[in-house]
Amino acid sequence: MRGYILRRVLQSIPILIGISIVAFLIIQLPPGDYLTVYASNLRSQGEFIGDEELEALKAQYALDKPVYMQYIRWITNFLQGNMGQSFYWNKPVSSLIGERIALSMVVSILTLIVTYGIAIPVGIYSSIKQYTWSDHVITLIAFIGVGLPSFLVALIVMYLGVKYFNLGAGGLFSADYLDAPWSFARVIDMLKHMWLPVIVIGISGTAGTIRVMRATTLDELSKPYVEAARARGLSELKAVLKYPVRVALNPILSTIGWMLPTIVSGETLVSLVLGLPTTGPLLYRALITQDMFLAASFILILSSLTVLGTLISDILLAWMDPRIRFGGAE
Amino acid sequence: MSNENTNGHNMLVQVKNLKTHFFLTEGIVRAVDGVNFYIDRGRTLGVVGESGCGKSVTARSIMNMIRPPGRNVAGQVIYHRQKKEAQGSTVTEEIDLLTLEPMSAEMRSIRGGEFSMIFQEPRASLSPLHTIGTQIMEGLKLHMDIDDEEARQRAIEQLQRVNIPKAEERIDAYAHQLSGGMCQRAMIALALACQPALLIADEPTTSLDVTTEAQILNLMRELQDTFHTSIMYITHNMAVIAEIAQRVLVMYMGKDVELAPVDALFYDPRHPYTRALLRSIPRIDDEREMLAVMRGNVPDPYALPTGCPFHPRCESRLRVCSQPVEVPYVEVSPGHFVRCHLYAGGG
Amino acid sequence: MAEPNIPQVQDQTLAEIGADLEDQVSSSVQLLTHGQLVLARFKKNRLAVIGGVILAILYLLAILCEFVSPYDPDRRFQGFVYLPPTTVHIRDAEGRWRAPFIYPIKRMTDPKTFERKYVEDTSVRYPIKLLQKGDEYELWGLIPTNVHLFGVDDAAGPLAIMGLESMGRDLFSRILYGSRISLSIGLAGVFFSLIIGLVLGGLSGLYGGAVDNIVQRVIEFIRSIPTIPLWMGLAAALPPNWPQLRVYFAITIILSFVGWTTLARVIRGKFLSLREEDYVLAATQAGASRWFIIWEHLVPSFMSYILVHLTLSIPGMIMGETGLSFLGLGLAPPAISWGVLLKDAQKIQEVAIHPWILWPSIFVLVTVLSFNFFGDGLRDASDPYSQRL
Ligand SMILES: Nc1ncnc2c1ncn2[C@@H]1O[C@H](COP(=O)(O)OP(=O)(O)OP(=O)(O)O)[C@@H](O)[C@H]1O
Ligand SMILES: [Mg+2]
């Protein structure tokens, strides 16, 4: 087990480095170096930036050095909490992204919980009731749900909401709490607004997980150990819940590994349509305005958190599965 | 049929005209279609027959654990249950298991408590995520009134009894940590934990190597001597039958074609199918170049031939064999039954 | 098998004899080829067949879009901005049944609210005609003509079956033209993924060792990052002055950047397992070259898997393009794609007043679902024992 954890942690280090390189590339790719952009941005706002200041910034970002030095400088700065300057907002990036990333993660994790909370029991039910009409209905809905592009669903839901239910234009807070400081009441208000985005983001994941859960449970239900449990005199419910479901849960839960990136990904797009105060809209604005420090920081932090989340869930799952815990099969 | 205790038998289970069918969209599979036999107390009944002839379904019917789309459409499984009276004398009551609800408390207390079953693939029959101890103790606690501590103690004893070394440690092992032979020992320990009256072994050694198979067979015989357990032993392997069984049931396409004492079956097989079966076993002293392979194929389970299901492949076929009439079931010698038109006159 | 199967083991069991018999049965029954079997099973799956038919229609429309669309996609109807979908009548004002026709639209301004209103002028009827002459175009850039599948006389004003958009252009025509990009980008993206997946997965499975290790790490890396932020970042980093064709290919490559990973994994797995299989071993010993074996034996053995996988990954690509263009990070006008058209729908207030601008999303939904149904049916038909996930 300890070996597994160590291996898993070591594995994620190159991934994190890779992510940081991609993020850095995103800063580098647009034509012109960002100081020029910065200066012209300031000038367009009527401010002036002196040569000395420019030189200082140049030194800070190692712009006179080769690219890999720039990368090293950027990433060390980043790790120390200095994520660079947002040209558009003219503020340090770190002051802009904290709450948004936190909210993104809250929405994503809540979606994850709701996804599994719905999909697992429904999938089990569907498999136990195989070939009954309720199973057929669930299968069909799940089948359609898998293919639904969440941001289009968001768009249509928004339209229906505005048109027929007189809902506001999305968001996570009601007007009273929009700019209020954090308080218990604000959290409650947020949770009340959370269900719609959570459902929209979760649709396809939930549908997919229902299908996987159903298929794996069906697979397990036909395994000899279930029959053996019945032959031992166990009640049907107990024989099913204690053995096959428990076994089927493992591969399902281990898909958290790829669910989290998918959900974070969906959250970015859906939050844009629904106007949530999470990463999506700000990242979008950053990209549109070529505010690359901000954009890259978002991508780096979002991806790193996803990788960490996956790492943690993998370790928890390994701990749950004796076959891995005792170093048997992978 | 007169298989009462009067003619020397001490029956534990008597199966009469058992029919178990599967109702599928493609048609009805008559997996078991009229089977009669009995299992004596403390004795072993061997069951043989080609793949798909309904051996496992028969076994599961006795445990009353046929699930939809399958159903027991006819017949009885009579369990001669012995109960100790207060005075110390034993009384036998007869229960037709098929009249009990499969998931009723009474049926479940028999299943696993008084009848138990072991399966072909020992490792697959154990949960991959639970220790073998958990599974043995689960059965014990279900059928006996004991606490965790005692259940664990008994589980360890059971594991020792089936010759699992270091039982105190192995009880916390998972199936993937044990060899196939060890898993089957654990399964046997599990099945015998509650000292059942009947042990159904459905091809328990098929997936094991020959040495391990011999060990397991010895173990089962020893345990049978100790606990006086009846065994229904399902196998494809005639050699194993010769070694372990006192009586043999031969099945073909869901029918009982022959039921005989083991010696009678090997030295005086009556049904043409049994004869063909015995001929297809290779012998060391055999001089034939090729084995006699039975001619023809196993018929389609959805479209059984009319009359005797074996007639298309039968060497001694009579004209009546393909007629849609009941095939006579004849006792050709005491305790030796054949279902065949050849013996319609009474042997 | 050429030689008769003479059992040599001493205790051949009944099971084995039975299995031999079964082999003989099944080999005599298999008269249908694999392809016929797949087709027969596929036809039984109604949803999959419907999906296939819808896809066929959509692609046909895309190919013939100049002919099918009633107007040039860039033609602006002055003064008819956001005209609601035209009502096609089959009964006239007196209640008589007629061939489909429309009434011309008059623009009015509400004297009180100053809102723009469109009103039908029921005094004149303009029948919808097949093969109507209209805007000039060159079919496939080759055949100059002005015949459209259907249309009305220009005097009738626009025949906008899905309404006009923010600049007074016919949405239906634009959707048809947009389907060229939206539907083809999925194919192109899948093609790139296939190439990358085949090469990297193949190398990985064939050579193993360090190559395999590197490829596996790269795949893990790509799969562990949230794709959409990454796509957005990469797309935004494209120089804004690139021509649309180059952007199209860049977007395709960005989309395949993630798509190839699953394919590569499976191809690697297949190579690894097939390496061990008897017939490959036999062929190697018979002196066949490595590439010959791959081409002759390995590729056919997972052809159906690849086909199914590709079919099922097209919708993701289509959605990716739609999403990026919708955000303004992908293709941009004058290029037309469903995503570009949906950009108008970004403002929810606009959607609430002119809901027909959501039409492109319906096309995306239908396409994506059809691909899923079709691909799923294909998978079940080609491999009935695979898990239905
Ligand atoms: N759950 C089920 N659903 C449908 N048909 C079944 C089911 N279980 C068994 N059958 C059918 O019943 C017939 C007998 O099956 P059974 O498993 O009893 O054969 P068997 O004699 O045990 O064969 P084997 O030696 O291969 O174990 C087979 O044709 C099988 O297809
Ligand atoms: Mg069986």
Side-chain angles (χ1 to χ4, degrees), chain B residues 31 46-56 58 202-203 206 232-238 241 248-258 265 273-274 276-278 280-281 294 298 310 313, chain C residues 13-19 21-22:
Chain B
V47 180
V48 287
E50 276 166 323
S51 197
C53 69
K55 305 183 294 292
S56 301
T58 306
D202 192 352
E203 306 184 35
T206 310
M232 173 171 166
Y233 197 101
I234 299 174
T235 180
H236 288 288
N237 193 331
M238 282 297 199
I241 290 284
V248 186
L249 170 71
V250 182
M251 291 183 65
Y252 185 78
M253 296 306 294
K255 292 259 196 310
D256 50 347
V257 293
E258 192 155 359
L265 191 93
Y273 174 67
T274 315
L277 207 59
L278 289 167
S280 62
I281 304 174
M294 225 173 288
V298 184
F310 187 61
R313 301 168 75 186
Chain C
T13 58
L14 286 171
E16 292 162 47
I17 297 173
L21 290 174
E22 270 165 36

